[in-house]
């Protein structure tokens, strides 16, 4: 089904007990713990609860027959496994996924462009970023140390600790990104590791990059270097540990050179179109699809509307909602690429003997999400209503404005790394359960509910629970202002906490 307009929540004058997203939906979501026997007003109707319903969980608004589809977000989230009576708790005990394997999809023509979310005469926000020679713009000016292989990962971390003292007050930081791969890998698996590292080296937030090799690894330094265009190597240095009498001294010499070069860079005023925005969710709950993800979708739309780039990944977490993205493909070629990536990922599951619906996680289920369709329908809202202009493989870099779909798994560390490698200079990360995780770029945590934001202020950058009190428009304005501040240099919580790491997608055999 197609959304005729983005779903929104208006501010209410009285506290809501439960929320129905659309009139077509068969269920409502409890916004607070509700008791059996309690009567709850949903829209214009009163529903008497037959069961207690935890906050974030669902209850039936009317009787549902066994085997019938159950709708949320105007679309089926699964099939009733037995008859469900009005007022019953709806969850994994009476609702099951309808997903199976690969599907055939048919292109029906490019859809009309969506209407802008804000008036065209509204001032477009600017931020202060670092303009690179190729025209890309970083939100940070850092030196990144990228090891070719895990054997020198700890060396990179020691170099970063010492290099940070040289860089203090001159650039935004020195960071090493350790990982366990680069050796004992074969074929496409090794190629994926090399592709991610080379693409990370090209991220605009890196004002300089030290590629740190060992010498005998499968992921050879020269081969990795060949993936980086010659005109991008002026801010790149290499060290082979086995070839140096003192690899630490050689690394520090390289870092000193890079810091000197990067210290000349200054922030400049740039339009929102210069932002490359990654969007991601992790530890979702039933509120994620009502507050945080639609709010992130507003940000993706704002960037796309300004002729900037937004990147959506986590392919397994669009299963069951993929047609909503396919209907927004700019043309048939983009549509075909998206169908290929989706079915290839489904085949990846099936070839390993796993069902494509092996999701949601235990934390998702505890938070009220029952099926992968439900999780996906909430998750794809991070892409807003922008036109899908491109689809790229894992390890590739974005080349188009608008919304790009990036091949990648749902794993938080792997997907946030893939976003940074694709070129994201700031990532919005919604969460209903909370996580301290951070990626190489500012990773802005957006809580789906105010309880999490209140409980974990050290992790959370923005409380999307305010959507229920203030309305989507006011919350979107506040979040956009916060994004502009972070893009201009204000630290995200992951940066304050020094939570920065990478994860590489391991798909092949290990020797």
């Amino acid at each position: 089904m197609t959304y005729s307009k983005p779903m929104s929540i208006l501010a209410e004058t009285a506290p809501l007990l439960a929320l129905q997203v659309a009139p077509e939906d068969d269920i409502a979501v409890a916004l607070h713990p509700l008791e059996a026997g309690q009567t709850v007003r949903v829209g214009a109707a009163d529903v008497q609860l037959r069961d207690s319903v935890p906050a974030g969980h669902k209850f039936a608004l009317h009787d549902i027959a066994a085997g019938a589809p159950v709708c949320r977000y105007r679309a089926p989230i699964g099939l009733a496994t037995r008859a469900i009576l009005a007022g019953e708790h709806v969850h994994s005990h009476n609702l099951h996924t309808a997903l199976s394997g690969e599907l055939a999809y048919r292109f029906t023509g490019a859809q009309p462009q969506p209407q802008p979310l804000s008036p065209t005469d509204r001032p477009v926000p600017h931020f202060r970023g670092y303009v690179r020679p190729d025209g890309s713009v970083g939100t940070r000016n850092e030196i990144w140390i990228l090891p070719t292989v895990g054997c020198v990962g700890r060396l990179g971390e020691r170099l970063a600790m010492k290099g940070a003292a040289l860089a203090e007050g001159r650039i935004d930081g020195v960071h090493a990104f350790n990982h366990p791969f680069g050796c004992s890998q074969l074929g496409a698996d090794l190629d994926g590791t090399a592709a991610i590292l080379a693409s990370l080296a090209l991220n605009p937030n890196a004002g300089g990059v030290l590629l740190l090799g060992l010498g005998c690894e499968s992921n050879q330094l020269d081969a990795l270097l060949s993936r980086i265009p010659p005109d991008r190597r002026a801010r790149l240095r290499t060290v082979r540990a086995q070839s140096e009498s003192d690899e630490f001294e050689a690394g520090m010499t390289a870092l000193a050179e890079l810091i000197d070069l990067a210290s000349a860079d200054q922030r400049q005023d740039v339009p929102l179109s210069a932002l490359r925005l990654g969007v991601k969710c992790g530890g979702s709950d039933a509120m994620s699809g009502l507050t945080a993800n639609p709010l992130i979708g507003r940000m993706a739309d704002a960037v796309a509307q300004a002729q900037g780039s937004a990147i959506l990944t986590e392919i397994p977490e669009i299963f069951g909602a993929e047609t909503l993205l396919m209907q927004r493909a700019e043309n048939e070629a983009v549509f075909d690429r998206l169908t290929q990536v989706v079915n290839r990922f489904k085949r990846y599951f099936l070839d390993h003997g796993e069902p494509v619906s092996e999701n949601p996680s235990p934390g998702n289920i505890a938070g009220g999400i029952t099926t992968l369709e439900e999780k996906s329908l909430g998750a794809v809202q991070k892409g807003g209503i922008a036109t899908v202009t491109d689809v790229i493989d894992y390890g590739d870099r974005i080349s188009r404005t608008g919304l790009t779909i990036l091949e990648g798994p749902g794993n938080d560390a792997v997907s946030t790394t893939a976003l940074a490698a694709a070129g994201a200079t700031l990532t919005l990360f919604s969460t209903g359960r909370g996580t301290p995780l951070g990626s190489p770029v500012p990773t802005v945590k957006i809580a789906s509910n105010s309880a999490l934001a209140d409980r974990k202020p050290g992790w959370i950058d923005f409380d999307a629970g305010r959507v229920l009190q203030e309305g989507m428009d006011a919350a979107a304005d506040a979040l956009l202002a916060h994004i502009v501040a972070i893009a201009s240099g204000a630290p995200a919580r992951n940066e304050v906490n020094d939570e920065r790491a990478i994860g590489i997608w391991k798909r092949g055999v290990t020797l």
Side-chain angles (χ1 to χ4, degrees), residues 30-398:
L31 302 181
H32 306 277
L34 303 176
E35 299 298 328
Q38 186 174 354
T39 297
V40 180
R41 171 59 62 106
V42 181
D46 289 327
V47 180
Q48 186 174 34
L49 298 181
R50 295 175 179 269
D51 305 309
S52 295
V53 182
H57 286 238
K58 303 172 290 294
F59 60 89
L61 296 173
H62 55 79
D63 293 350
I64 301 170
V70 177
C71 288
R72 182 184 178 190
Y73 304 113
R74 302 188 180 100
I77 61 171
L79 302 175
T81 56
R82 61 169 176 79
I84 302 173
L85 299 177
E88 277 195 71
H89 181 204
V90 177
H91 200 33
S92 50
H93 61 287
N94 54 15
L95 179 65
H96 191 267
T97 180
L99 293 178
S100 54
E102 298 169 85
L103 296 174
Y105 304 98
R106 185 170 64 88
F107 183 66
T108 57
Q111 301 296 307
Q113 295 293 307
Q115 292 297 311
L117 292 177
S118 59
T120 55
D121 60 353
R122 188 173 183 176
V124 177
H126 284 59
F127 69 97
R128 293 188 61 77
Y130 295 96
V131 180
R132 303 305 182 190
D134 66 350
S136 63
V137 176
T139 63
R140 297 293 182 267
N141 188 37
E142 300 171 337
I143 306 301
W144 290 1
I145 303 173
L146 301 175
T148 61
V149 65
C151 307
V152 289
R154 181 57 188 148
L155 170 61
E157 291 176 340
R158 291 193 291 116
L159 286 167
M161 291 176 64
K162 188 71 175 292
L166 291 178
E168 189 172 0
R170 303 176 66 192
I171 60 173
D172 293 330
V174 178
H175 304 285
F177 297 104
N178 198 352
H179 62 87
F181 302 120
C183 204
S184 302
Q185 290 181 279
L186 299 170
D189 195 40
L190 177 61
D191 183 71
T193 295
I196 280 290
L197 294 174
S199 291
L200 282 172
L202 295 169
N203 188 288
N205 283 16
V209 174
L210 171 58
L211 293 179
L212 185 61
L214 178 61
C216 58
E217 64 271 29
S218 302
N219 187 29
Q220 282 288 295
L221 189 55
D222 287 341
L224 182 61
L225 188 62
S226 70
R227 292 173 178 264
I228 299 172
D231 62 355
R232 300 292 300 276
R233 298 181 191 175
R235 294 288 186 94
L236 192 148
R237 297 292 183 272
T238 62
V239 169
R240 290 177 178 82
Q242 289 176 343
S243 300
E244 300 289 344
S245 58
D246 188 333
E247 67 279 0
F248 190 86
E249 182 181 0
M252 288 305 301
T253 299
L255 285 181
E257 293 176 4
L258 291 171
I259 292 168
D260 284 343
L261 290 170
S263 64
D265 300 335
Q266 301 294 321
R267 289 190 182 271
Q268 303 176 39
D269 193 46
V270 293
L272 191 64
S273 60
L275 188 63
R276 296 177 176 180
L277 186 68
V279 298
K280 163 82 179 104
C281 55
S284 299
D285 67 355
M287 296 304 297
S288 296
L290 297 176
T291 59
N293 289 345
L295 190 58
I296 289 176
R298 289 289 189 98
M299 301 302 100
D301 288 335
V303 170
Q305 185 178 322
Q307 302 303 307
S309 299
I311 315 166
L312 174 70
T313 188
E314 301 179 285
I315 299 302
E317 298 189 8
I318 70 171
F319 293 167
E322 65 267 35
T323 57
L324 300 179
L325 294 171
M326 292 172 182
Q327 289 166 354
R328 287 156 45 193
E330 183 178 53
N331 53 48
E332 190 167 6
V334 173
F335 175 90
D336 288 343
R337 281 285 298 128
L338 183 52
T339 64
Q340 291 165 9
V341 166
V342 168
N343 275 334
R344 184 169 70 201
F345 219 116
K346 287 182 177 180
R347 176 49 49 190
Y348 169 66
F349 273 72
L350 296 171
D351 286 347
H352 284 79
E354 300 291 346
V356 299
S357 58
E358 191 58 34
N359 208 332
S361 70
N364 297 151
I365 294 169
I369 296 175
T370 307
T371 65
L372 180 52
E373 296 100 307
E374 182 179 16
K375 185 176 183 179
S376 295
L377 286 162
V380 298
Q381 293 185 60
K382 301 191 305 295
I385 59 172
T387 298
V388 177
T389 56
D390 204 3
V391 181
I392 61 175
D393 292 338
Y394 176 75
D396 284 351
R397 298 168 57 234
I398 58 170

